[in-house]
Amino acid sequence: MPDQTPAHEIRPVTQEIPERFIPVPTVEPGHTFASVTDHISAIVLRKKMPFLWWVGLAASCFGVMVLTATIGKLVLVGVGIWGINHPIGWGFDILNFVWWIGIGHAGTLISAILLLLRQEWRTSINRFAEAMTLFAVSAAGLYPALHTGRPWYDFWLFPYPNTMTLWPQFRSPLMWDVFAVSTYATVSALFWYVGLIPDLATLRDRARGKIARVIYGMLSLGWRGSAKHWFRYESTYLLLAGLSTPLVLSVHTIVSFDFAVAQLPGWHATFFPPYFVAGAVYAGFAMVLTLAIPARKMFHLEDFITMKHLENMGKIMLATGLIVFYSYCMEAFFAYYSGNNFERYMWINRVSGPYWKMYAMLIICNGVAPQMMWFRRMRTSTAGLFAVAMFVNVGMWLERFVIIPTSLHRDFLPSSWGMYHGTRWDWGMFIGSMGLFFFLLFLFVRFLPMISIFEMRTMLPEAQAHPEGHEA
Amino acid sequence: MSAGVAETNASATGISQWRMPSLVIGIIGLALSALGYFINQETFFRSWLPSFLFWFSIVAGSLAVLMLQYVTGGEWGLMIRRPLGAAARTMLWMVLFFIPIILGMKYLYPWSNTQWAMADENVSQKLGWLNWKRFLAFAALYFALWNLWAWRIRALSLSFYQDRSPYTELKRRKWAASGLLMIVLTLTFASIDWMMSTEPKWSSTMYGITFVVGCALSALAFVTFFLTRLVNTEAMGSLLKPTHLRDLGNLMLAFVMFYAYTTFSEFLLIWYANLHEEIPHFLVRTSGLWGAVAFSVAMFHFFLPFGLLLIRPIKDRPKTIAIVAVIIIVMRYVALYWLVAPSWYGEHFTWSWMNLTTLLGIGGVWIWAFIGQLRGQTIIPIHETWVEEAIREGALKVNG
Amino acid sequence: MAIGKVRTGTYGVIAEFSSPADLTAAAEAARDAGYTEMDAFSPFPIHNLHEAVGMKSTGLSSMSALVLIGGIIGGIGGFFMCWYANVISYPLNIGGKPFNSWPAWIPITFECAILMAAFAAVFGMLALNGLPMPYHPVFNVKRFDQASRDKFFLVIQARDPKFDLDTVWKFLEALHPREVVDVPW
């Protein structure tokens, strides 16, 4: 099938480009190294925070108090205050653990995978998203630690030679979880901190107060921007990105193993690992949007977090949402195709059993709502994006509810059937963990630059010393 | 010495000289296979399916990767768009090569024996899916959709080159985005129909994902190898930069890892749960010589290419990356054979000369068709907006 | 900078530039003029500047080697830990699985490999860069706080064999810097 058109003719630049095809910049024009530095560091170094920040801090602080009270009660009384009971031994604790850890994944995805894919638009959102990762992992980590029943013995999870001459049981996916989550938390923290070092040096140099100077000075480790340092720094950053990428995929994979190694219909499915990972990225981007849309308004960051960032996140949400929906379809198809009565019953019960409303809402939130992202008008409206992101936040919580209690509540024997409802302590702890998450976030935006300043400088046109020298 | 993009015209790169030899090899292969059909029908069909799947995975993967390129854009597609498009359009030939599978259903798919299927406790539950009418109807549907998208995208590209309207480009992107959705779903079900149902009692939800990933890997390895063949020509030699090969190497690395990830996860979960309806799949495939094949898949489908593709100089040099691509291509066939063949032969490793003749037969004809699709075009998509921009800015030249 | 020894005199001479292109040009000029002991400071990484200031580098290799070693140690260590604990030290029959359940060790092996590789990357980078280093002579330069904002600096050190205060000063002045000052210890 030979080409119809002559191969040598180059189109003249006469055509007017319609407005919608003019690319939205990742940084609004008119900024300089100084203006970027001053604008972002001023958020941290100013004396007065906006009123809304105080409202948010107070509200989330209240959440932390609820959390403290709930944990206090839990330590005094035990996990009996939760709604878990036979046959449902895993309830809100694991549900919220998975929800939170999933949210964290977008941070690593933005900072590592998009870096490796040379997606430059990641630059203004990666710091914020990484902080979100850390705080989400902190909130997630609370649940399994407390679910052990006697959290003061949690150190038994770590392999160390002890007087009981016992070792952890490494065949258990729950042990894999311990290693996956603690590695993930450590590496995310390292990645975040390494990214922060040059910006901490900026804050050290720009802070007026003595205490602030000393603290930022110590945290910046004496960074002085030497060319030799930058070279090793950049290699390290790329290598960390290369390490974080498989790591982040492995974390939710291992979380999915918690369920999938079991023989329980509804849990034992080989596609769980990619299904969970896609769901995690999906939930994470929804949460980044949920936080970024108000934050860019509150701190006047529209020049740095442009519509391009928001639209791209909307697209990623659509893509991962479709993978999640593919998984729901596969679950239904394989329930039938397995030819296994228990598998088939599991799915029928999921859709039409006592928890059918959860499943219906799940399909609305995760199946229908993200389809709005096919439309450019929705992707480029903050209200539209925010609304869809909220649907996804709820939807991903429902997904875990549908997977966990719904699979458990109909045991193989009808005599061991039961129902599950979270108690007020369950809800208290969920609200409390949200309080913790937001509390840490509010502190983060107060004390650390929420946009990577040095990376923003490299985005400016004046940063191109060698225009042709870009190599990744 | 620097050649222009217009000189990358496929005819000028000398690939046409491979056309006739491969057709001859193809016809000889098909003739020998036909001879095999009269010697042993069962072996013939059971050799045909893995060979078909291997070439099919390159074609289907090409369509998927091409659509991915049209959705995401990016320089990694500069050198491979045209070869991918040409490979995708050979989907028409795949329809032809599928016919023996229909003819040999009774040797390939145990469920096509209705009497046995009705009597089996498990299979009798799913005869609504496992029956020849649905099988054929769906196969027709899959091929119709794949061909529709492959040719529709081609048509949109041609009309974009004529009208140069960004709206046409957008339309192509929309077709590609919806096409990705389409191809993931259809390949999933095609892999269930054509491969998984060789073992009708067994099912695994990961299967489709693994197959889609494997197709993309086949396609990437194939186009990488193909590009390295063009390096010696004057036109391509100066235009093909190490970074282009590095991008392809990184993509192969990603898909090699992804394939290992899905395969190992599937194995781990089934091994761990140890359910009697699932575990035989892996018991058979790890016993005797099949076990050695499984080991070779782990070694040469994952560890070796993974290690090699981490090293930048290997990715940058045409000679070395060609070797990696060949390893991957060969192992794609081994992995597919390992997935499908033990369903029929059980624990006894079986290999026939017909495996080779069908592989060469389909492949020879296919390469002939592929080069035919590529003829008359430049390898570099000269009319794409960003290529034109590069030409205008002087980064690329039209003529040397 | 040995502890207990007070250095006196000059660390070097520093020049301030206002664009990355100027800094790169200056560093290249200094290298071509035969200076070897120097350093450049910028508020963000500038491609290939490290080579201009005399750092020999071959791509990612030294850091990559560290990471690879870290990863191998972590991976072997992780697998050994599981194997030793559940096969040698305290074998337990769990679900009829073999004592050496190698597929079950893979997740922990992988996590340990990543963890040790990441440690090697971060701590290796800090060690090779000589960080943390709270005190450094360049901080004595009054305007050096602009190096983390929008200014670019080039310092030629006193230990350079070709160093001569006046010559270096004149050399740097000729590169059209914003200003030239000397850096006390």
Side-chain angles (χ1 to χ4, degrees), chain B residues 125-161:
Chain B
Q125 300 279 318
K126 45 191 179 191
L127 292 178
W129 187 266
L130 296 179
N131 64 72
W132 67 272
K133 282 181 198 150
R134 193 218 48 91
F135 183 92
L136 289 187
F138 272 54
L141 177 71
Y142 305 147
F143 278 115
L145 289 173
W146 295 329
N147 276 304
L148 172 65
W149 253 272
W151 290 93
R152 180 76 193 137
I153 282 180
R154 173 63 177 167
L156 282 169
S157 284
L158 286 179
S159 69
F160 171 60
Y161 301 156

Side-chain angles (χ1 to χ4, degrees), chain B residues 192-208:
Chain B
I192 295 169
D193 287 354
W194 303 349
M195 298 164 69
M196 198 162 91
S197 78
T198 55
E199 235 173 350
K201 294 190 209 185
W202 182 80
S203 70
S204 164
T205 44
M206 186 72 105
Y207 208 83

Side-chain angles (χ1 to χ4, degrees), chain A residues 69 94 138 200 215 240 268 407:
Chain A
I94 190 106
S138 316
L200 290 167
I215 292 176
L240 275 181
H268 181 65
S407 304

Side-chain angles (χ1 to χ4, degrees), chain B residues 221 224-225 228-229 314 317-327:
Chain B
T224 308
F225 179 73
T228 60
R229 294 308 88 198
I314 289 184
R317 284 193 204 110
K319 270 196 187 127
T320 45
I321 199 159
I323 294 171
V324 181
V326 168
I327 295 173

Side-chain angles (χ1 to χ4, degrees), chain A residues 171 253 263 268 270 326 337, chain B residues 126 188 204 261 272-273 278:
Chain A
R171 287 179 201 88
T253 295
Q263 294 159 343
H268 181 65
T270 49
Y326 167 91
Y337 186 81
Chain B
K126 45 191 179 191
T188 301
S204 164
Y261 165 72
Y272 204 108
E278 284 183 347

Side-chain angles (χ1 to χ4, degrees), chain B residues 179-245:
Chain B
L180 278 176
L181 195 63
M182 176 282 298
I183 203 164
V184 170
L185 279 171
T186 47
L187 281 181
T188 301
F189 287 111
S191 73
I192 295 169
D193 287 354
W194 303 349
M195 298 164 69
M196 198 162 91
S197 78
T198 55
E199 235 173 350
K201 294 190 209 185
W202 182 80
S203 70
S204 164
T205 44
M206 186 72 105
Y207 208 83
I209 304 168
T210 310
F211 185 65
V212 174
V213 174
C215 284
L217 179 59
S218 295
L220 284 168
F222 174 76
V223 287
T224 308
F225 179 73
F226 176 73
L227 273 187
T228 60
R229 294 308 88 198
L230 301 182
V231 165
N232 293 331
T233 63
E234 195 182 330
M236 287 299 284
S238 60
L239 284 167
L240 190 67
K241 299 269 167 355
T243 46
H244 296 131
L245 292 175

Side-chain angles (χ1 to χ4, degrees), chain A residues 31-259:
Chain A
H31 278 285
T32 61
F33 298 137
S35 75
V36 168
T37 310
D38 296 348
H39 192 111
I40 304 173
S41 57
I43 297 171
V44 177
L45 296 173
R46 67 171 145 188
K47 292 254 155 57
K48 255 176 86 97
M49 290 305 275
F51 178 69
L52 270 177
W53 181 84
W54 284 106
V55 174
L57 187 76
S60 56
C61 195
F62 177 73
V64 175
M65 287 193 275
V66 172
L67 180 71
T68 321
T70 325
I71 293 177
K73 173 82 175 175
L74 185 81
V75 168
L76 286 173
V77 179
V79 290
I81 62 168
W82 288 345
I84 45 174
N85 208 337
H86 191 79
I88 296 146
W90 274 7
F92 267 38
D93 39 359
I94 190 106
L95 199 171
N96 293 335
F97 163 72
V98 179
W99 190 70
W100 276 121
I101 205 115
I103 284 170
H105 278 43
T108 322
L109 188 104
I110 290 170
S111 49
I113 300 183
L114 295 185
L115 178 76
L116 297 180
L117 293 177
R118 290 179 235 156
Q119 298 289 312
E120 285 185 346
W121 58 272
R122 75 180 260 290
T123 296
S124 57
I125 47 173
N126 66 334
R127 171 72 47 73
F128 190 76
E130 284 166 38
M132 190 193 79
T133 295
L134 279 178
F135 306 147
V137 173
S138 316
L142 283 176
Y143 286 96
L146 293 169
H147 192 202
T148 55
R150 289 184 289 171
W152 50 95
Y153 285 133
D154 278 351
F155 62 92
W156 285 358
L157 288 165
F158 290 99
Y160 68 102
N162 53 51
T163 52
M164 301 173 285
T165 71
L166 275 172
W167 290 101
Q169 209 285 92
F170 288 116
R171 287 179 201 88
S172 164
L174 300 181
M175 274 314 295
W176 308 347
D177 250 2
V178 172
F179 279 82
V181 174
S182 53
T183 300
Y184 185 46
T186 313
V187 175
S188 302
L190 284 176
F191 199 29
W192 187 61
Y193 182 63
V194 166
L196 266 169
I197 291 173
D199 286 359
L200 290 167
T202 297
L203 291 179
R204 169 197 68 199
D205 294 341
R206 303 199 35 81
R208 300 255 167 70
K210 172 117 183 139
I211 300 170
R213 269 218 302 271
V214 168
I215 292 176
Y216 287 126
M218 286 199 297
L219 289 175
S220 67
L221 306 178
W223 182 264
R224 52 189 187 274
S226 154
K228 299 169 188 177
H229 292 186
W230 275 125
F231 172 68
R232 290 197 194 95
Y233 179 90
E234 280 205 297
S235 313
T236 306
Y237 204 67
L238 267 180
L239 285 165
L240 275 181
L243 292 170
S244 300
T245 302
L247 173 67
V248 67
L249 302 183
S250 81
V251 173
H252 231 61
T253 295
I254 290 176
V255 168
S256 82
F257 286 163
D258 291 349
F259 305 100

